[in-house]
Amino acid sequence: MKQLLLLLITYVGFTSTAVAQRVHIQTPDTSPQTTYAANRLKKALQERRYTLTSPADYTIRLTLDAGKLGKEAYTLAPEGKTIRITGGDPAGLIYGCLSLAEDLRNGVSLPQIKAKSENPTLPFRAIKYDLPWDTYRHSYALDQHIETCRDVAYWERFLDMMVENRFNVLSLWNLHPYTFMIRPTNFPEATPFNENEMKEWQTLHRAIFRMARERGIDTYLVPFNIFVSPEFAKAHNVAMNNLEHHHFVDGDTSAIVRRYTRECVTQVLQEYPELTGFGLTLGEGMGGMTPQQREDWMKATIIEGMRQAGRKSKLIHRIPFSSTTGSLGVTSVETEKLTRKSIEAEGDLAFLEGPVWADLKYNWSHAHSTPKLVKVHGGKLYDTYFKPTPTKYKIVWTARNEDFFCLRWGVPEFIREHISTNNQPYLGGYILGSETYIPAKDYFTKTTQPVDWTYAFERQWLFYKLWGRLLYNPATPDAIFKAEFIRRYGPAGSTLLEASALAGKTPLRLASSYDFTWDFSLYSEGFMALQDKNVKYISVDRQISHPPLDPDYVSVADYVKTVSLGGSFAANKITPLVLADRLEQDCRKALSLVAPIKTAGNASLMYEVADVKAWANLGLYFAEKLRGAVALQTYRTTGGEINKQKAITHLEKALRNWDEVVAITRPIYHDMPLVHFSEQQGNTRAQNDKLRFHWAILRPEVAKDVEIARQAVK
């Protein structure tokens, strides 16, 4: 009863209007960053019915003090009728104003504001954004975002989200971005657009970079290499084998391609002074080249182009994932030594602002698995980049998400553990994002009722808020995230953070128990994985035989083999049955937390609750599937009709849980195009573009698990 009363009082604080009081905001200058900070604060004050005027009852004084505070740090200090917000730099001032604005939105009045201060734990907190024109992979699933991503209003909302969540880097990835940004002075034939079309592209890019700068967000352009525009290729008879821009091809290193690339880099930096820097990615379009040749190419083109731009810029150097001449290869100590030498040399270049950000993929393409580092792209990571501790560069981990695009996700304890596990002195930060999903057009939502979002990234607000705020300050309490639920949904939102955290462990546990490599090798949201060169449902047989990623997890096959021989496992080992019990415990609790929530008349809340229910039922399905897999493998190994019947029973229960997922999601989600289907073997591009994902579509495959058990023999 006391908890309910407290929630009601809190909710009244959210919804009641403030006592009409006059407020004046004093600013130290009129820079774009200060103006943005003050405007965000003004908006929050006006929403709370404060009057902005002078003289005033309250004064909010914005100041800068680089001597006392570091970069991006801030303090918020109430002093009687004055609240002083001090930033160590313009970004820190923005964060301080956003912190006060957050308190105001959460129902805290100016007299109730408490002193606080924050300092960034990690200096590099980035979003990986694959632009939908000239994409890494070609698919309708990516093409559908072009119109949205050409709208400046979309980018304003996206950048607002970034700064609210303390992301400070936007990295824009594209196979060959130059011809969408410039008409190369010496190669005008490379750009396919007329003057009006070129002006539209340039207006878009300038707006993105300008708005990012206003928000204290750095911007990096990350082109893949080696690519040229089809128009350039035809005009000069180069790279004619790759007019369609496939990413795994041999590189054309002819002199004219080298000159063209270098001049494009220089011209882009000169025409876009608000662009912060470039990124190097070594591999795609560089088949047939040794690691040394790839490094030499980057030095002669992008690095030299940056030097000739005549201004300072910054650099992301993606760690190469191939030690061979193939586009896909394996890691090696020799390649690590070569790469470290190159990065350290870049760190000494006067035209580059340090440190260089050395980027590695955390657990390949699926960081949402275990917080332990098991592998990087290409396989094993040695210690070359860490010992001795680097001084010219900082490591940044790319946390790729190729595992959930539709269902909302948020597990704060996982992110905190991820950061604490990897917060060594050489760590600079994280890059968060996908390569097979663009968070722009909402192609999921089926309801005709009004919802409180427009764009896809706004559906996943908790995902971005958790990662961004915790990368900035891992000590950010859950109360901050819980308060956001309550602000959005009132008392009904009070249990949603806990429910999300419990149900959201489902994809993490699947990815920890099922080993993977590149993008398509696992799609946790759909319980699909790469098999026979196609992405397929993970059958019970596949679950039995496939090894885990996390070394603490035990596969079904190894578990049954060990137990059948009378063996046992150490206490830290997570066996299939232990995993099943944990899944069931967490998912049933998540369902109990959302069961009382009434969603009638609030479609946005309905979707939040539905996604928790979907994840929870997927977790219960997974638990029963694991139990069924153990029983089935036990029957095949040692016999016993009771084991066969247990397998059938558990897999029938798993099917019922899957049916519950279908019942939840079929009315509210469209069948979804996925890039995972864009490389189905034997299909044309047109055929692949018609392929769709929904849990209902996979239902016959799930039912086959039951038949597999029924037809099993010892």
Side-chain angles (χ1 to χ4, degrees):
M1 189 64 181
K2 288 182 179 179
Q3 289 181 338
L4 178 59
L5 181 60
L6 179 60
L7 282 174
L8 290 173
I9 292 172
T10 302
Y11 184 50
V12 170
F14 282 113
T15 57
S16 64
T17 58
V19 176
Q21 288 182 308
R22 298 171 299 172
V23 180
H24 176 57
I25 300 176
Q26 293 181 353
T27 58
D29 53 49
T30 58
S31 70
Q33 293 79 19
T34 299
T35 301
Y36 179 81
N39 286 340
R40 291 304 300 269
L41 191 50
K42 288 176 183 177
K43 182 179 179 181
L45 287 163
Q46 289 168 339
E47 288 173 354
R48 298 293 299 150
R49 305 295 180 89
Y50 287 96
T51 300
L52 296 169
T53 186
S54 179
D57 302 308
Y58 272 89
T59 298
I60 300 177
R61 186 167 294 137
L62 311 187
T63 62
L64 292 166
D65 192 340
K68 291 184 178 180
L69 299 175
K71 291 182 178 180
E72 299 184 312
Y74 74 88
T75 61
L76 197 159
E79 302 165 355
K81 294 290 186 177
T82 298
I83 297 176
R84 185 185 299 273
I85 302 174
T86 305
D89 63 359
L93 187 62
I94 292 173
Y95 296 160
C97 289
L98 289 172
S99 178
L100 178 56
E102 182 176 62
D103 285 343
L104 291 167
R105 288 198 307 269
N106 288 343
V108 181
S109 64
L110 289 180
Q112 297 170 318
I113 295 298
K114 304 295 184 185
K116 69 173 73 171
S117 63
E118 285 190 287
N119 296 282
T121 296
L122 296 171
F124 189 93
R125 307 176 302 278
I127 295 288
K128 178 184 187 294
Y129 201 109
D130 277 31
L131 294 168
W133 37 90
D134 202 8
T135 49
Y136 180 81
R137 290 190 170 86
H138 307 314
S139 168
Y140 168 73
L142 300 179
D143 295 345
Q144 66 179 328
H145 298 285
I146 291 176
E147 182 179 356
T148 302
C149 289
R150 292 194 66 176
D151 185 352
V152 172
Y154 164 78
W155 287 102
E156 184 175 16
R157 294 267 282 272
F158 190 83
L159 290 163
D160 279 343
M161 177 278 294
M162 285 186 63
V163 70
E164 286 172 8
N165 295 325
R166 316 304 192 254
F167 288 106
N168 65 354
V169 174
L170 174 64
S171 60
L172 299 172
W173 301 60
N174 200 247
L175 287 186
H176 188 67
Y178 310 116
T179 51
F180 297 92
M181 301 176 69
I182 60 170
R183 189 179 303 281
T185 301
N186 294 317
F187 301 98
E189 69 280 2
T191 299
F193 307 111
N194 63 36
E195 290 303 317
N196 288 334
E197 292 169 334
M198 193 73 245
K199 185 176 180 180
E200 289 179 2
W201 282 111
Q202 290 175 328
T203 298
L204 171 66
H205 285 97
R206 289 193 176 106
I208 293 172
F209 300 145
R210 173 182 53 79
M211 292 188 296
R213 178 67 63 86
E214 289 172 352
R215 290 156 178 78
I217 295 172
D218 284 350
T219 47
Y220 291 78
L221 194 65
V222 189
F224 290 83
N225 280 274
I226 303 169
F227 297 92
V228 298
S229 70
E231 292 76 15
F232 180 89
K234 293 174 184 177
H236 299 280
N237 195 33
V238 293
M240 292 297 290
N241 64 330
N242 195 25
L243 296 178
E244 296 182 358
H245 280 187
H246 299 293
H247 46 274
F248 288 153
V249 295
D250 287 351
D252 188 325
T253 59
S254 57
I256 195 168
V257 173
R258 183 185 301 256
R259 178 189 168 198
Y260 165 73
T261 304
R262 182 181 66 249
E263 291 185 6
C264 282
V265 171
T266 297
Q267 191 171 337
V268 163
L269 285 171
Q270 290 174 340
E271 291 193 17
Y272 295 89
E274 291 178 310
L275 174 64
T276 306
F278 265 82
L280 311 180
T281 177
L282 300 86
E284 289 80 7
M286 303 185 87
M289 301 172 69
T290 66
Q292 183 65 64
Q293 288 172 328
R294 290 171 179 153
E295 293 288 351
D296 291 343
W297 169 267
M298 292 297 180
K299 183 178 179 181
T301 56
I302 294 185
I303 299 298
E304 179 60 16
M306 295 173 77
R307 186 190 69 80
Q308 293 186 13
R311 72 170 176 93
K312 292 272 191 175
S313 54
K314 298 180 182 180
L315 181 67
I316 299 170
H317 190 128
R318 196 180 198 185
I319 303 295
F321 46 76
S322 175
S323 62
T324 70
T325 57
S327 293
L328 285 176
V330 295
T331 56
S332 72
V333 173
E334 291 73 26
T335 302
E336 287 190 2
K337 291 178 179 178
L338 165 68
T339 305
R340 175 162 184 164
K341 182 179 179 181
S342 295
I343 297 174
E344 288 182 332
E346 291 160 358
D348 285 326
L349 297 174
F351 58 89
L352 292 181
E353 292 185 45
V356 176
W357 307 108
D359 172 38
L360 285 155
K361 293 183 190 177
Y362 198 94
N363 284 340
W364 213 309
S365 296
H366 303 271
H368 295 87
S369 50
T370 172
K372 304 186 191 80
L373 178 63
V374 179
K375 64 176 78 172
V376 294
H377 193 145
K380 180 180 178 181
L381 179 66
Y382 302 90
D383 61 4
T384 312
Y385 299 117
F386 316 132
K387 296 180 180 180
T389 301
T391 59
K392 304 294 184 182
Y393 65 87
K394 289 280 189 179
I395 293 293
V396 295
W397 295 114
T398 287
R400 286 274 293 277
N401 169 32
E402 311 299 343
D403 292 293
F404 41 83
F405 309 141
C406 176
L407 298 180
R408 291 157 178 80
W409 180 91
V411 185
E413 66 182 77
F414 168 77
I415 299 173
R416 289 194 185 94
E417 186 177 358
H418 212 294
I419 296 168
S420 66
T421 301
N422 298 288
N423 196 14
Q424 294 85 4
Y426 53 74
L427 181 67
Y430 281 69
I431 302 176
L432 185 72
S434 305
E435 200 143 89
T436 58
Y437 167 68
I438 296 174
K441 179 181 178 180
D442 176 9
Y443 57 93
F444 308 99
T445 304
K446 200 173 184 179
T447 183
T448 57
Q449 299 177 35
V451 292
D452 61 5
W453 67 84
T454 302
Y455 303 114
F457 74 87
E458 294 171 321
R459 300 172 61 259
Q460 287 280 9
W461 66 267
L462 182 62
F463 174 83
Y464 291 104
K465 186 170 288 290
L466 288 175
W467 268 110
R469 295 293 290 271
L470 293 173
L471 286 173
Y472 178 75
N473 179 8
T476 301
D478 282 355
I480 292 290
F481 311 117
K482 183 176 179 179
E484 181 64 20
F485 273 112
I486 296 173
R487 186 189 70 80
R488 288 168 178 259
Y489 307 117
S494 62
T495 61
L496 279 173
L497 178 65
E498 183 181 1
S500 171
L502 290 165
K505 294 178 183 179
T506 295
L508 307 177
R509 285 165 165 164
L510 172 63
S512 296
S513 68
Y514 195 96
D515 197 13
F516 49 74
T517 54
W518 61 300
D519 310 353
F520 298 180
S521 61
L522 184 65
Y523 175 44
S524 299
E525 184 175 62
F527 276 79
M528 302 175 76
L530 191 68
Q531 185 178 357
D532 302 327
K533 297 184 179 181
N534 284 309
V535 181
K536 298 180 179 179
Y537 165 73
I538 301 172
S539 69
V540 65
D541 280 337
R542 190 71 174 157
Q543 190 73 58
I544 289 170
S545 62
H546 201 75
L549 168 75
D550 190 320
D552 286 343
Y553 279 64
V554 179
S555 72
V556 172
D558 286 345
Y559 173 76
V560 172
K561 179 180 179 180
T562 299
V563 171
S564 67
L565 296 174
S568 60
F569 295 91
N572 68 309
K573 292 294 184 180
I574 302 172
T575 67
L577 295 183
V578 168
L579 178 57
D581 289 345
R582 292 180 182 179
L583 282 161
E584 181 168 9
Q585 178 181 341
D586 288 342
C587 291
R588 291 206 181 281
K589 185 174 182 182
L591 289 173
S592 71
L593 288 170
V594 299
I597 299 177
K598 307 298 182 185
T599 63
N602 189 334
S604 301
L605 177 59
M606 178 273 292
Y607 272 95
E608 296 274 9
V609 172
D611 283 6
V612 169
K613 290 180 177 179
W615 277 129
N617 278 281
L618 284 170
L620 294 175
Y621 145 82
F622 189 27
E624 293 297 344
K625 180 178 180 177
L626 288 168
R627 291 166 180 147
V630 169
L632 177 59
Q633 184 66 4
T634 301
Y635 171 71
R636 287 170 171 169
T637 303
T638 63
E641 188 64 23
I642 190 172
N643 290 319
K644 183 174 184 177
Q645 291 306 311
K646 282 182 178 179
I648 294 170
T649 299
H650 285 303
L651 293 172
E652 286 176 336
K653 289 181 178 178
L655 179 59
R656 287 197 290 273
N657 287 121
W658 192 274
D659 284 340
E660 186 62 24
V661 175
V662 173
I664 293 165
T665 58
R666 178 46 91 194
I668 63 175
Y669 288 125
H670 294 293
D671 291 354
M672 302 158 229
L674 295 177
V675 179
H676 291 76
F677 295 132
S678 69
E679 297 185 9
Q680 295 280 321
Q681 298 297 313
N683 284 358
T684 64
R685 163 77 187 267
Q687 289 172 318
N688 283 325
D689 282 349
K690 293 178 181 178
L691 293 171
R692 296 292 183 269
F693 165 78
H694 195 285
W695 295 272
I697 297 172
L698 291 180
R699 203 271 181 188
E701 297 300 314
V702 183
K704 284 182 183 178
D705 284 345
V706 181
E707 293 306 311
I708 289 172
R710 286 180 177 146
Q711 297 171 17
V713 294
K714 180 175 179 295

